[in-house]
Amino acid sequence: MSETDVLYNAQCPVCSREIDHYARLTEAQALPLSYDDLNDVTTLARWGVTADDAARRLHVRRNGALYVGVPAFIVLWQSLPRYRWLAWLVSLPGLYRLAHWTYEGVLAPLLYRSHLRRQAKRA
C-alpha cells in the first residue's frame, strides 16, 4: 500500500471532525496515512501550497501526486478499507459530477467562508 498524506484545516470544526474520524481508523488499523494541519507554516512549505489554497479544499498526496477536492476524497477513501466502497461509488461518472458540483459549488465555499470569518475574529 502506498503512503498517503492528507492536508486539512484542523481549525475548521467540520473538517477536523471528519479527518479525526479517519485518523482514528488509520491508527486502529495501522494504515500508512498521515494527517497535516494547514495551520502549521512548516507543513505548508512541505506541501508547496499557500495557506489560502489549502483552506479552500482538501488536499491529498499519494506517491508524489497531488489531488485536490473530490479527487482528494476519493484517494483518501481508497486508502481506508471501510470507505473503499464510497470511493468507488463517487468515482462513477454521474455521481462524480454531482459530488464535484456539490463540493466545489456549495460545501467548499461555505467552509472557506467560515474559515475566513474565524480568521477575522482572531485578528
Side-chain angles (χ1 to χ4, degrees):
M1 182 178 257
S2 63
E3 178 71 31
T4 303
D5 304 308
V6 179
L7 179 62
Y8 75 104
N9 187 352
Q11 293 179 0
C12 167
V14 174
C15 308
S16 63
R17 188 173 306 123
E18 181 174 3
I19 298 300
D20 288 349
H21 168 73
Y22 298 145
R24 284 191 301 276
L25 292 176
T26 296
E27 187 176 331
Q29 298 177 32
L31 300 172
L33 284 91
S34 66
Y35 300 90
D36 296 326
D37 179 8
L38 68 83
N39 298 291
D40 178 357
V41 176
T42 58
T43 295
L44 289 175
R46 280 195 328 268
W47 278 81
V49 298
T50 67
D52 192 62
D53 285 342
R56 288 177 182 271
R57 286 167 192 79
L58 180 71
H59 289 65
V60 172
R61 189 171 45 207
R62 178 189 277 168
N63 296 333
L66 183 63
Y67 302 88
V68 180
V70 173
F73 280 100
I74 291 170
V75 169
L76 173 57
W77 294 333
Q78 287 171 340
S79 302
L80 299 166
R82 263 189 180 172
Y83 285 89
R84 288 187 183 135
W85 68 271
L86 186 56
W88 174 82
L89 188 67
V90 172
S91 295
L92 295 174
L95 287 177
Y96 179 87
R97 283 190 294 278
L98 179 62
H100 180 78
W101 179 86
T102 302
Y103 184 74
E104 295 293 331
V106 180
L107 298 175
L110 283 172
L111 292 172
Y112 180 66
R113 283 195 297 276
S114 294
H115 167 73
L116 293 178
R117 283 193 299 276
R118 282 189 306 279
Q119 282 189 320
K121 285 182 182 179
R122 284 188 192 108

